[in-house]
Amino acid sequence: DTEVTQTPKHLVMGMTNKKSLKCEQHMGHRAMYWYKQKAKKPPELMFVYSYEKLSINESVPSRFSPECPNSSLLNLHLHALQPEDSALYLCASSPLESATDTQYFGPGTRLTVL
Amino acid sequence: GESVGLHLPTLSVQEGDNSIINCAYSNSASDYFIWYKQESGKGPQFIIDIRSNMDKRQGQRVTVLLNKTVKHLSLQIAATQPGDSAVYFCAENEYGNKLVFGAGTILRVKS
Protein backbone atom coordinates (compact mmCIF):
# COMPACT_ATOMS: atom_id res chain seq x y z
CA ASP A 1 0.00 0.00 0.00
CA THR A 2 1.57 3.26 -1.13
CA GLU A 3 -1.30 5.53 -0.18
CA VAL A 4 -1.01 8.99 1.24
CA THR A 5 -4.35 10.56 2.14
CA GLN A 6 -5.14 14.25 2.44
CA THR A 7 -8.12 16.11 3.82
CA PRO A 8 -9.99 18.15 2.92
CA LYS A 9 -10.00 17.72 -0.85
CA HIS A 10 -11.10 21.31 -1.36
CA LEU A 11 -10.94 24.32 0.97
CA VAL A 12 -12.15 27.87 0.53
CA MET A 13 -11.12 30.37 3.17
CA GLY A 14 -11.05 34.09 3.78
CA MET A 15 -7.90 36.01 4.55
CA THR A 16 -8.76 36.24 8.25
CA ASN A 17 -9.61 32.57 8.72
CA LYS A 18 -7.57 29.87 10.42
CA LYS A 19 -7.71 26.42 8.87
CA SER A 20 -5.64 23.26 8.80
CA LEU A 21 -4.72 20.72 6.14
CA LYS A 22 -4.19 17.13 7.18
CA CYS A 23 -2.04 14.38 5.71
CA GLU A 24 -1.81 10.76 6.78
CA GLN A 25 0.23 7.72 5.77
CA HIS A 26 0.41 4.23 7.21
CA MET A 27 3.40 2.92 5.31
CA GLY A 28 5.79 3.37 8.22
CA HIS A 29 7.56 6.18 6.40
CA ARG A 30 9.67 8.44 8.60
CA ALA A 31 9.96 11.40 6.23
CA MET A 32 7.01 13.59 5.23
CA TYR A 33 6.81 16.63 3.00
CA TRP A 34 4.60 19.57 2.08
CA TYR A 35 4.67 20.94 -1.46
CA LYS A 36 2.82 23.82 -3.08
CA GLN A 37 1.77 23.60 -6.72
CA LYS A 38 0.39 26.49 -8.72
CA ALA A 39 -1.58 25.86 -11.89
CA LYS A 40 0.53 24.58 -14.80
CA LYS A 41 3.68 24.61 -12.64
CA PRO A 42 5.71 21.87 -10.97
CA PRO A 43 5.43 21.20 -7.24
CA GLU A 44 7.68 23.32 -5.04
CA LEU A 45 8.99 22.04 -1.73
CA MET A 46 7.84 23.87 1.40
CA PHE A 47 8.76 21.69 4.40
CA VAL A 48 10.42 18.39 5.19
CA TYR A 49 9.94 16.41 8.41
CA SER A 50 12.25 13.59 9.35
CA TYR A 51 11.43 11.46 12.40
CA GLU A 52 8.78 14.01 13.37
CA LYS A 53 11.30 16.85 13.44
CA LEU A 54 11.41 19.74 10.99
CA SER A 55 14.36 19.15 8.71
CA ILE A 56 13.91 21.66 5.90
CA ASN A 57 11.95 24.92 5.73
CA GLU A 58 12.25 26.44 2.29
CA SER A 59 11.87 30.01 3.56
CA VAL A 60 8.10 29.66 3.74
CA PRO A 61 6.16 32.62 5.23
CA SER A 62 5.12 32.20 8.84
CA ARG A 63 1.43 32.22 7.89
CA PHE A 64 2.09 28.56 7.02
CA SER A 65 2.84 26.52 10.12
CA PRO A 66 3.61 22.80 9.81
CA GLU A 67 3.15 20.25 12.55
CA CYS A 68 4.03 16.57 12.78
CA PRO A 69 2.19 15.16 15.83
CA ASN A 70 3.31 11.59 15.16
CA SER A 71 5.00 9.47 12.54
CA SER A 72 1.80 8.99 10.53
CA LEU A 73 0.34 12.48 10.56
CA LEU A 74 1.39 15.80 9.08
CA ASN A 75 -0.61 19.00 9.41
CA LEU A 76 -0.30 22.39 7.79
CA HIS A 77 -1.90 25.20 9.78
CA LEU A 78 -2.99 28.22 7.77
CA HIS A 79 -3.57 31.72 9.11
CA ALA A 80 -3.95 35.13 7.48
CA LEU A 81 -3.33 33.79 4.00
CA GLN A 82 -3.27 35.91 0.85
CA PRO A 83 -5.13 35.26 -2.41
CA GLU A 84 -1.80 34.39 -4.05
CA ASP A 85 -1.54 31.44 -1.66
CA SER A 86 -4.34 29.75 -3.59
CA ALA A 87 -2.83 26.54 -4.95
CA LEU A 88 -2.82 22.75 -4.73
CA TYR A 89 -1.08 21.67 -1.53
CA LEU A 90 0.51 18.27 -1.81
CA CYS A 91 1.75 16.00 0.92
CA ALA A 92 4.31 13.28 0.27
CA SER A 93 6.15 10.65 2.29
CA SER A 94 9.22 8.48 1.84
CA PRO A 95 10.78 5.71 3.92
CA LEU A 96 13.58 7.98 5.06
CA GLU A 97 14.92 11.42 4.24
CA SER A 98 17.39 9.85 1.86
CA ALA A 99 18.59 10.96 -1.55
CA THR A 100 17.49 7.64 -3.07
CA ASP A 101 14.13 7.12 -1.37
CA THR A 102 11.06 7.53 -3.55
CA GLN A 103 8.51 10.10 -2.45
CA TYR A 104 4.86 9.08 -2.72
CA PHE A 105 2.32 11.85 -3.09
CA GLY A 106 -1.21 12.30 -1.85
CA PRO A 107 -4.03 13.68 -4.03
CA GLY A 108 -3.63 17.19 -2.66
CA THR A 109 -5.89 19.84 -1.15
CA ARG A 110 -7.14 22.49 -3.55
CA LEU A 111 -7.02 25.73 -1.55
CA THR A 112 -8.75 28.93 -2.58
CA VAL A 113 -8.15 32.10 -0.57
CA LEU A 114 -10.75 34.83 -1.08
CA GLY B 1 20.08 27.48 -8.09
CA GLU B 2 20.39 24.54 -10.43
CA SER B 3 17.25 23.21 -12.00
CA VAL B 4 15.78 20.47 -14.11
CA GLY B 5 14.14 21.47 -17.37
CA LEU B 6 12.21 19.95 -20.22
CA HIS B 7 12.61 20.56 -23.95
CA LEU B 8 8.99 20.05 -25.07
CA PRO B 9 6.04 21.51 -23.18
CA THR B 10 3.40 19.55 -25.15
CA LEU B 11 3.61 16.23 -26.95
CA SER B 12 0.75 14.85 -29.06
CA VAL B 13 0.89 11.22 -30.16
CA GLN B 14 -1.44 8.80 -31.87
CA GLU B 15 -2.82 5.98 -29.78
CA GLY B 16 -0.60 2.93 -30.17
CA ASP B 17 2.51 4.91 -31.03
CA ASN B 18 5.52 5.16 -28.77
CA SER B 19 6.10 8.39 -26.82
CA ILE B 20 9.40 9.92 -25.79
CA ILE B 21 9.53 12.68 -23.22
CA ASN B 22 12.86 14.41 -22.67
CA CYS B 23 14.39 16.20 -19.74
CA ALA B 24 17.67 18.08 -19.25
CA TYR B 25 19.18 18.44 -15.82
CA SER B 26 21.98 20.69 -14.71
CA ASN B 27 23.17 19.33 -11.37
CA SER B 28 25.89 16.82 -12.20
CA ALA B 29 25.99 15.77 -8.53
CA SER B 30 22.40 14.46 -8.56
CA ASP B 31 22.30 10.77 -7.84
CA TYR B 32 18.69 9.79 -8.32
CA PHE B 33 16.05 10.65 -10.89
CA ILE B 34 12.32 10.02 -10.94
CA TRP B 35 9.51 10.35 -13.44
CA TYR B 36 6.07 11.26 -12.17
CA LYS B 37 2.73 11.32 -13.97
CA GLN B 38 0.12 13.83 -12.86
CA GLU B 39 -3.45 13.59 -14.08
CA SER B 40 -5.82 16.48 -13.79
CA GLY B 41 -6.96 17.01 -10.20
CA LYS B 42 -4.59 14.41 -8.77
CA GLY B 43 -1.23 14.29 -7.09
CA PRO B 44 1.94 13.17 -8.89
CA GLN B 45 2.10 9.40 -9.34
CA PHE B 46 5.45 7.61 -9.32
CA ILE B 47 6.22 5.94 -12.65
CA ILE B 48 9.83 4.86 -12.65
CA ASP B 49 13.17 5.87 -11.19
CA ILE B 50 16.83 5.44 -12.01
CA ARG B 51 20.04 5.89 -10.10
CA SER B 52 23.10 7.58 -11.53
CA ASN B 53 25.05 4.29 -11.70
CA MET B 54 22.61 3.03 -14.35
CA ASP B 55 21.88 4.22 -17.88
CA LYS B 56 18.65 2.35 -18.53
CA ARG B 57 15.79 0.93 -16.53
CA GLN B 58 12.63 -0.73 -17.76
CA GLY B 59 9.21 -1.04 -16.24
CA GLN B 60 5.84 -2.07 -17.57
CA ARG B 61 5.56 -0.25 -20.94
CA VAL B 62 7.98 2.42 -19.72
CA THR B 63 11.72 2.82 -20.04
CA VAL B 64 13.91 5.53 -18.55
CA LEU B 65 17.24 6.39 -20.12
CA LEU B 66 19.94 8.39 -18.41
CA ASN B 67 22.83 10.01 -20.24
CA LYS B 68 25.12 11.54 -17.65
CA THR B 69 27.57 12.83 -20.24
CA VAL B 70 25.05 15.30 -21.60
CA LYS B 71 22.88 15.41 -18.47
CA HIS B 72 19.81 14.11 -20.24
CA LEU B 73 16.94 11.96 -19.06
CA SER B 74 14.15 10.49 -21.15
CA LEU B 75 10.96 8.56 -20.58
CA GLN B 76 9.77 6.20 -23.26
CA ILE B 77 6.19 4.92 -23.21
CA ALA B 78 5.43 2.00 -25.49
CA ALA B 79 2.07 1.63 -27.23
CA THR B 80 0.70 4.86 -25.78
CA GLN B 81 -2.89 4.67 -24.59
CA PRO B 82 -5.51 7.36 -23.91
CA GLY B 83 -5.03 6.73 -20.19
CA ASP B 84 -1.44 7.91 -20.54
CA SER B 85 -2.64 11.46 -21.20
CA ALA B 86 -1.30 13.58 -18.34
CA VAL B 87 1.48 15.94 -17.37
CA TYR B 88 4.83 14.20 -16.92
CA PHE B 89 7.48 15.59 -14.60
CA CYS B 90 11.05 14.54 -14.30
CA ALA B 91 12.63 15.21 -10.93
CA GLU B 92 16.13 14.99 -9.57
CA ASN B 93 16.95 14.26 -6.00
CA GLU B 94 19.51 16.64 -4.62
CA TYR B 95 21.08 16.54 -1.16
CA GLY B 96 19.01 14.88 1.51
CA ASN B 97 15.70 14.08 -0.12
CA LYS B 98 15.00 17.42 -1.77
CA LEU B 99 13.22 16.83 -5.05
CA VAL B 100 13.61 19.41 -7.79
CA PHE B 101 11.02 19.08 -10.51
CA GLY B 102 11.28 19.96 -14.15
CA ALA B 103 8.73 22.23 -15.80
CA GLY B 104 6.56 19.35 -17.04
CA THR B 105 5.43 18.00 -20.41
CA ILE B 106 1.81 17.60 -21.38
CA LEU B 107 1.21 14.31 -23.18
CA ARG B 108 -1.92 14.18 -25.33
CA VAL B 109 -2.95 10.89 -26.86
CA LYS B 110 -5.15 11.05 -29.93
CA SER B 111 -7.54 8.19 -30.57
Side-chain angles (χ1 to χ4, degrees):
Chain A
D1 181 14
T2 55
E3 187 177 27
V4 175
T5 59
Q6 291 186 243
T7 54
K9 190 172 175 63
H10 300 277
L11 178 62
V12 179
M13 60 186 292
M15 290 188 284
T16 59
N17 293 156
K18 286 185 180 180
K19 297 287 184 182
S20 297
L21 309 184
K22 179 179 174 181
C23 173
E24 194 165 3
Q25 57 87 15
H26 294 287
M27 296 177 279
H29 290 176
R30 302 313 299 266
M32 296 185 77
Y33 312 79
W34 280 116
Y35 287 83
K36 174 182 178 179
Q37 186 178 25
K38 300 285 277 185
K40 302 188 188 303
K41 295 290 186 181
E44 294 180 344
L45 182 66
M46 299 175 72
F47 302 104
V48 180
Y49 272 82
S50 179
Y51 288 91
E52 296 95 68
K53 288 185 171 27
L54 184 64
S55 172
I56 296 176
N57 177 341
E58 289 289 288
S59 302
V60 179
S62 60
R63 58 185 183 269
F64 296 91
S65 176
E67 178 196 22
C68 191
N70 61 56
S71 61
S72 300
L73 284 174
L74 185 67
N75 299 320
L76 185 63
H77 303 298
L78 313 173
H79 174 54
L81 294 194
Q82 304 297 311
E84 58 265 29
D85 295 322
S86 298
L88 180 68
Y89 287 85
L90 294 161
C91 174
S93 72
S94 65
L96 296 171
E97 188 187 0
S98 163
T100 55
D101 272 5
T102 303
Q103 293 183 31
Y104 296 94
F105 285 81
T109 293
R110 177 74 60 187
L111 174 68
T112 302
V113 182
L114 301 176
Chain B
E2 298 191 293
S3 62
V4 178
L6 296 175
H7 298 299
L8 300 173
T10 304
L11 177 65
S12 293
V13 299
Q14 197 67 37
E15 181 179 0
D17 287 351
N18 296 335
S19 302
I20 300 177
I21 301 172
N22 296 302
C23 175
Y25 66 94
S26 55
N27 189 345
S28 57
S30 290
D31 190 43
Y32 182 53
F33 303 87
I34 311 105
W35 282 100
Y36 287 94
K37 171 187 180 183
Q38 188 173 25
E39 297 175 272
S40 181
K42 297 184 179 179
Q45 176 189 357
F46 171 82
I47 300 173
I48 193 167
D49 58 359
I50 189 167
R51 296 192 181 185
S52 60
N53 62 352
M54 303 171 69
D55 53 21
K56 180 179 180 179
R57 190 156 189 235
Q58 289 184 291
Q60 188 177 9
R61 281 202 307 119
V62 294
T63 301
V64 56
L65 299 177
L66 176 63
N67 186 332
K68 294 182 288 294
T69 302
V70 295
K71 297 181 199 169
H72 185 266
L73 195 66
S74 69
L75 177 70
Q76 301 178 359
I77 304 174
T80 313
Q81 303 168 0
D84 295 326
S85 294
V87 178
Y88 288 80
F89 292 101
C90 64
E92 64 179 317
N93 207 330
E94 296 184 345
Y95 38 87
N97 204 6
K98 181 178 175 180
L99 273 183
V100 176
F101 285 81
T105 292
I106 299 171
L107 176 64
R108 291 200 177 104
V109 182
K110 298 175 285 187
S111 298

